[in-house]
Amino acid sequence: MTGYKEIYGRYRQQILDGRLKPGDRVPAIRVLASELQVARKTVEAAYEILTGEGYFVSQGAKGTRVNPALHVPAMTSIVTAVPIPVPSSPTSESKSELRLGIPALDAFPHKKWLLLSGKVARSLRPEEMVVPPVMGYQPLREAIANYLNISRGLNCKAEQIFITSGYRASLQLILSVLAQPNDKVVFEDPGFFLGQQLLKHIAPNLHYVPVDQQGINVDYLQCNHADARFAIVTPTHQSPLAVSLSLPRKHQLLEWAQQNNSWIIEDDYDGEFHYTRKVIPALKSLDTHERVIYTGTFSKTIMPAMRIGYLVMPLGTLRRFSELGQILETGLPLLPQKILAQFINEGHFYRHLKKMRILYQQRRRLMLDAIQFVFPDLFEFELTGGGMHIVAFLKCSMQDIALAELWRQHELCVRPLSSWYMQQQKRYGLLIGYTNIQSFEQAQAILQRVAEKTRAMMLV
């Protein structure tokens, strides 16, 4: 449980390290309390201490900021920062329902986004119309670092943030920078299907480690692939089973990486969406030996069309990422980066996440009720504390591939669970997105389109 001392310590350290600068705005008390899922009094206590010590100033309706008059002595970093030189039409699937990983498009603050977009576009300066920075727009890197440090428990600096075009770009860049041609890479089984497809092409020595109710089986990893150089994991909400990596296994995995000089690539693809009072910190927050490379994306929290992701580079790798990044990457377009930075810095991102957590919890319940109403004897569920999709396990059948194909013929874009496995031991079911379901009646009507043919298939 996050306490006021921890919140106070995180902010104080960020200010002393220069990651938060005089005049920077911090989230409102109620917004941060919701983000960390703690009582408002906990955040109030931390803010009061920070204000009393002169780190924060309250400006009423303008919010709370780092004291503009604050003078922080320059601190010499252990690691020298690397200077950064400034150098299709929609498919039928895009119109389908129940798609995985698509945020609630009806609940996005379109007007606010459009206002910010216009404001940012009008403020574009001539010097910004050249090639964008390869590692990303500096204010966005700072905003992401601040967000991760407060909300995900990390301890990173802006110069550790590398802005990419998404998960696959991050993964490819990491392996290009750090991997040797025949390094052993291990991946979760089942695991994210797009990650599997990419790794089959870029990681010739690829192996799989099974996942159970506690996440990736670290005992199996140590017994069978202790010599692996990279372990790619989704510890907060495992993709696709949505289970969380247990704390003992987190420590076990970190110890394995430290002892074997291996790297853990943490994909925190929807870690923001947890529906219980218990906030699950990122694996990276426990990493004391700099063996975890943290990756994230705004596809699930803002919109997939943004094509903006990021990775947190370990301090000792900054030069390698910078040097090879200049060759491999061209830098994302500047305008969407500036809009996103403004969206985060003005507090809209925090408020949007708070709204989406409540909404997704409600919509998951609607979808579950509809599935159980239309198919009372077909599926069973193992609900977890978060995520953006439902795993509907088939009770008495292994025909999930055929069933998914039937549903897709009726524009229901579900996916068969068994196809995400690479080893022989599998489970069978459907992965069903629910984030754009707005009512029980809508969910019921969608499922009724395939009800008769589904029952007929299950009777064969």
Side-chain angles (χ1 to χ4, degrees):
M1 178 68 71
T2 302
Y4 77 91
K5 290 183 179 179
E6 185 176 354
I7 297 171
Y8 161 80
R10 290 183 189 179
Y11 272 117
R12 182 177 181 277
Q13 194 61 49
Q14 284 198 89
I15 293 169
L16 293 177
D17 289 347
R19 302 173 205 170
L20 279 176
K21 299 177 176 59
D24 282 356
R25 186 174 178 176
V26 298
I29 288 174
R30 60 179 176 79
V31 173
L32 186 59
S34 175
E35 172 66 25
L36 298 180
Q37 296 192 1
V38 298
R40 287 183 60 171
K41 289 184 178 180
T42 302
V43 180
E44 285 176 359
Y47 276 33
E48 286 175 3
I49 297 172
L50 290 161
T51 302
E53 293 184 355
Y55 291 108
F56 282 2
V57 291
S58 176
Q59 299 180 328
K62 294 183 179 179
T64 303
R65 297 180 183 273
V66 178
N67 190 347
L70 183 66
H71 173 71
V72 181
M75 299 182 68
T76 304
S77 177
I78 296 175
V79 178
T80 304
V82 179
I84 309 302
V86 178
S88 67
S89 54
T91 64
S92 59
E93 182 174 297
S94 69
K95 301 176 183 178
S96 300
E97 296 169 291
L98 309 185
R99 291 184 67 198
L100 303 182
I102 305 298
L105 303 179
D106 62 304
F108 184 74
H110 296 280
K111 290 183 179 179
K112 177 59 66 177
W113 187 265
L114 289 174
L115 287 171
L116 283 177
S117 300
K119 180 180 176 181
V120 169
R122 290 190 295 272
S123 68
L124 198 64
R125 303 188 303 272
E127 59 268 26
E128 294 177 325
M129 298 180 184
V130 294
V131 178
V134 168
M135 296 177 71
Y137 178 55
Q138 185 63 21
L140 178 58
R141 298 170 73 194
E142 293 170 357
I144 291 173
N146 291 339
Y147 165 71
L148 294 176
N149 290 339
I150 298 301
S151 296
R152 304 300 292 135
L154 272 62
N155 184 26
C156 63
K157 303 177 182 179
E159 65 256 33
Q160 292 176 256
I161 306 296
F162 198 123
I163 307 296
T164 72
S165 61
Y167 167 70
R168 283 176 287 183
S170 295
L171 191 56
Q172 190 156 13
L173 178 61
I174 292 167
L175 294 180
S176 297
V177 171
L178 298 178
Q180 296 299 316
N182 203 40
D183 278 348
K184 180 183 285 190
V185 177
V186 296
F187 196 66
E188 296 170 323
D189 190 50
F192 181 44
F193 73 101
L194 290 179
Q196 289 178 3
Q197 292 174 357
L198 175 63
L199 289 169
K200 287 177 183 177
H201 287 88
I202 66 174
N205 194 5
L206 178 63
H207 300 267
Y208 300 92
V209 178
V211 172
D212 58 27
Q213 292 302 310
Q214 297 184 61
I216 189 171
N217 189 328
V218 186
D219 286 336
Y220 183 97
L221 167 64
Q222 292 177 321
C223 290
N224 297 277
H225 304 295
D227 58 337
R229 178 72 167 155
F230 295 88
I232 303 170
V233 297
T234 49
T236 302
H237 300 136
Q238 198 275 332
S239 177
L241 298 180
V243 298
S244 298
L245 187 62
S246 67
L247 186 59
R249 286 194 183 178
K250 286 181 178 178
H251 288 297
Q252 188 182 6
L253 185 62
L254 290 168
E255 184 178 357
W256 163 81
Q258 191 271 328
Q259 291 178 348
N260 292 277
N261 201 32
S262 300
W263 296 106
I264 301 167
I265 301 175
E266 176 180 10
D267 176 16
D268 198 26
Y269 67 101
D270 70 351
E272 291 85 359
F273 300 122
H274 38 264
Y275 310 137
T276 65
R277 294 289 298 176
K278 181 182 178 183
V279 176
I280 303 173
L283 176 66
K284 177 66 176 174
S285 68
L286 304 174
D287 178 26
T288 58
H289 296 285
E290 289 283 290
R291 302 314 304 173
V292 177
I293 305 166
Y294 180 94
T295 69
T297 175
F298 292 97
S299 293
K300 308 293 188 295
T301 53
I302 303 292
M303 64 183 87
M306 279 291 292
R307 305 308 303 155
I308 292 182
Y310 55 88
L311 61 91
V312 180
M313 303 169 284
L315 287 169
T317 68
L318 298 189
R319 185 172 298 279
R320 280 182 281 175
F321 272 98
S322 177
E323 291 174 350
L324 201 54
Q326 305 295 330
I327 301 170
L328 297 176
E329 299 294 321
T330 57
L332 295 180
L334 182 63
L335 200 56
Q337 293 189 71
K338 292 191 71 174
I339 297 168
L340 180 56
Q342 197 82 352
F343 190 75
I344 297 173
N345 287 332
E346 291 188 6
H348 308 302
F349 184 58
Y350 288 91
R351 287 190 287 274
H352 181 58
L353 289 181
K354 175 186 176 182
K355 179 181 176 182
M356 291 302 98
R357 287 193 193 103
I358 298 171
L359 185 66
Y360 289 166
Q361 189 173 14
Q362 295 170 346
R363 291 186 172 182
R364 181 170 74 166
R365 187 70 261 166
L366 292 173
M367 193 70 226
L368 280 168
D369 289 346
I371 295 172
Q372 291 170 323
F373 179 81
V374 177
F375 303 109
D377 302 314
L378 184 59
F379 299 107
E380 58 187 1
F381 308 93
E382 297 172 0
L383 289 188
T384 60
M388 296 174 68
H389 67 269
I390 291 169
V391 185
F393 296 99
L394 285 169
K395 287 184 177 180
C396 304
S397 175
M398 296 187 295
Q399 299 185 66
D400 60 351
I401 294 177
L403 184 59
E405 180 57 32
L406 170 65
W407 286 33
R408 289 169 72 89
Q409 290 172 7
H410 291 77
E411 295 190 338
L412 304 187
C413 193
V414 299
R415 293 193 177 273
L417 174 60
S418 66
S419 67
W420 292 48
Y421 285 86
M422 297 304 297
Q423 297 176 313
Q424 290 185 349
Q425 198 165 18
K426 301 180 178 183
R427 300 185 73 182
Y428 300 86
L430 297 181
L431 306 176
I432 303 172
Y434 59 80
T435 50
N436 284 281
I437 293 297
Q438 299 177 31
S439 68
F440 173 81
E441 291 74 20
Q442 179 197 10
Q444 182 183 357
I446 288 172
L447 296 174
Q448 288 291 0
R449 298 198 323 236
V450 295
E452 186 176 344
K453 291 186 178 179
T454 296
R455 296 189 189 101
M457 175 181 287
M458 292 298 104
L459 290 173
V460 175

